[in-house]
Amino acid sequence: MATTAANTQRQTIGYEEYSLYSSLSEDELIKMAIQQSLEEDPVGQPAAQSPQKSMVAYAGEVAAPSRASPHNPAYHICPRQRLAAQQTGRAQPSSSGAAWGVRRRYDSSTSQSVEIDPVVAAIKDGDEKAVRNMMKSGKNLSVPNKDGWIPLHEAAYYGQVGCLSLLQKAYPSTIDQRTLNEETALYLATSRGNLDCLLTLLQAGAEPDISNKARETPLYKACERKNAEAARLLVQYNADTNHRCNRGWTALHEAVSRNDLEIIDILVKGGAKIESANVYGITSLFVAAESGQLEALRYLARCGADINTQASDNASALYEACKNGHVPIVEFLLSQGADANKANKDGLLPLHIAAKKGICE
């Protein structure tokens, strides 16, 4: 039992803090765990702690939804979510949107009742009459809330195109206004797949290339959501098909990683550069080979993409396909004349990595 309690205590300690406690005995660790639990108030809010104990409390706050990679970096909870995680005793959804790219409006799992702003309630219900009456009464519906959201953002988020049109016409200067996460109404509409709101905003003159804090544009988000209609609309309204996010990833990289041929075609015909590389020197064809997306790979090859493209560590597309066991990809690349003698920075050839992985086909 003592061993179990001690192991539980160790699990709450992050890797970077482990050295602080490695010299403690199991009994000392158990006492620390008991003392920490006694210092919490009835609702789980830790009492004032020393810096050392605070480090333990923060150890379990950050959750990574998937393995980090050059195009899928490690995810970190923002400070506001850290506070929420402490208050509820569990990690909260991402305000930047690990699932949707936008903040969750209301968490139905919370035990506390949330008082909804009457403006938000009216917009959520699509009550145009109520919104119009509020404006007639002199209420200013262009004032942001604590998250930087204005009613126009709410209308775009909830897909209420009637309310959105009313608000846009009443406050035309707010069309490109950003939230604290630097999301515009156009970005929110795209993230949620609200095509009517998306088209209405574009027709009203919304700027299609305003990005969020991660430098992701509405077009990038459309590719992430595999929403071909949204991507087509944005390209028609001159969205930049070569815009890069903060990792150098373009919309084409994103579409290729999802093997979405329709969107890939829209982007390439809209001017996307097939040889654009991210911060690791990875092109779209490299992404297709690395992730086993054969249809996307064939499309890019037909467009003249470099079969022998290499990342910044000199790994070739063929090397990555061998490393990940994508036999059909390897066969296709070789049929297109891929050089099997290109070594990575460690001098390893595709043949070496294939043998190491036990790929004998």
Side-chain angles (χ1 to χ4, degrees):
M1 181 174 179
T3 303
T4 302
N7 288 338
T8 301
Q9 171 66 6
R10 284 197 183 102
Q11 289 171 359
T12 66
I13 301 173
Y15 177 81
E16 65 275 10
E17 290 91 34
Y18 180 77
S19 61
L20 295 174
Y21 303 93
S22 59
S23 62
L24 299 181
S25 67
E26 289 188 357
D27 289 338
E28 289 172 324
L29 287 171
I30 292 170
K31 289 179 181 179
M32 180 182 291
I34 294 172
Q35 183 179 359
Q36 183 178 344
S37 66
L38 293 174
E39 290 176 352
E40 294 182 350
D41 68 19
V43 297
Q45 178 82 17
Q49 300 176 339
S50 68
Q52 190 180 49
K53 292 177 183 176
S54 296
M55 292 170 72
V56 177
Y58 271 78
E61 291 171 356
V62 178
S66 60
R67 181 176 61 87
S69 71
H71 53 276
N72 187 25
Y75 165 71
H76 300 281
I77 298 178
C78 70
R80 184 171 66 240
Q81 291 158 338
R82 287 186 172 181
L83 177 60
Q86 284 181 301
Q87 291 172 339
T88 63
R90 61 181 177 86
Q92 300 297 309
S94 167
S95 66
S96 60
W100 271 106
V102 292
R103 68 184 173 91
R104 294 288 188 183
R105 302 297 293 119
Y106 305 102
D107 184 356
S108 59
S109 64
T110 182
S111 59
Q112 296 179 347
S113 60
V114 178
E115 184 178 349
I116 301 178
D117 186 301
V119 178
V120 176
I123 292 171
K124 185 179 180 181
D125 293 338
D127 191 343
E128 298 174 38
K129 182 178 179 181
V131 173
R132 189 179 288 108
N133 287 340
M134 289 178 192
M135 290 191 291
K136 286 182 178 179
S137 69
K139 188 174 182 65
N140 185 353
L141 300 188
S142 66
V143 177
N145 66 9
K146 63 182 178 61
D147 296 316
W149 284 55
I150 58 175
L152 184 71
H153 295 136
E154 307 284 356
Y157 180 91
Y158 287 117
Q160 298 296 350
V161 68
C163 294
L164 183 138
S165 295
L166 278 175
L167 293 162
Q168 188 279 315
K169 290 174 182 176
Y171 308 99
S173 64
T174 65
I175 192 167
D176 290 325
Q177 190 163 322
R178 306 184 194 191
T179 67
L180 293 187
N181 284 330
E182 299 185 11
E183 299 158 338
T184 63
L186 187 66
Y187 181 94
L188 295 170
T190 305
S191 295
R192 298 280 288 178
N194 298 327
L195 292 179
D196 288 344
C197 292
L198 175 65
L199 179 58
T200 297
L201 289 165
L202 288 170
Q203 290 175 337
E207 168 56 53
D209 293 326
I210 297 178
S211 58
N212 66 0
K213 282 187 175 180
R215 287 187 50 76
E216 296 170 351
T217 63
L219 180 59
Y220 182 98
K221 192 56 63 175
C223 296
E224 183 182 284
R225 299 283 178 262
K226 299 190 71 169
N227 191 330
E229 288 306 310
R232 183 175 288 107
L233 276 173
L234 289 161
V235 171
Q236 287 175 354
Y237 279 83
N238 301 315
D240 182 5
T241 54
N242 293 300
H243 179 93
R244 299 170 184 270
C245 71
N246 57 10
R247 291 162 285 127
W249 207 245
T250 66
L252 185 58
H253 282 96
E254 188 64 29
V256 167
S257 73
R258 298 174 188 279
N259 209 32
D260 196 316
L261 292 185
E262 186 177 4
I263 294 182
I264 292 170
D265 188 60
I266 290 169
L267 294 172
V268 171
K269 290 178 178 177
K273 298 176 182 177
I274 59 175
E275 298 297 346
S276 288
N278 73 354
V279 294
Y280 297 96
I282 293 174
T283 65
S284 295
L285 185 139
F286 191 102
V287 171
E290 178 186 40
S291 55
Q293 309 293 13
L294 184 57
E295 293 80 9
L297 180 66
R298 290 181 183 277
Y299 181 99
L300 293 168
R302 287 197 301 271
C303 293
D306 182 10
I307 292 293
N308 289 307
T309 181
Q310 293 176 281
S312 56
D313 63 355
N314 288 337
S316 66
L318 180 61
Y319 180 93
E320 287 298 313
C322 289
K323 184 176 76 174
N324 294 322
H326 301 312
V327 175
I329 300 291
V330 173
E331 292 174 343
F332 177 76
L333 289 172
L334 290 173
S335 74
Q336 299 298 304
D339 187 351
N341 292 313
K342 282 186 175 292
N344 70 358
K345 66 178 181 179
D346 298 318
L348 295 177
L349 298 172
L351 180 62
H352 295 142
I353 194 64
K356 183 178 180 181
K357 296 289 183 178
I359 303 169
C360 303
E361 295 185 38

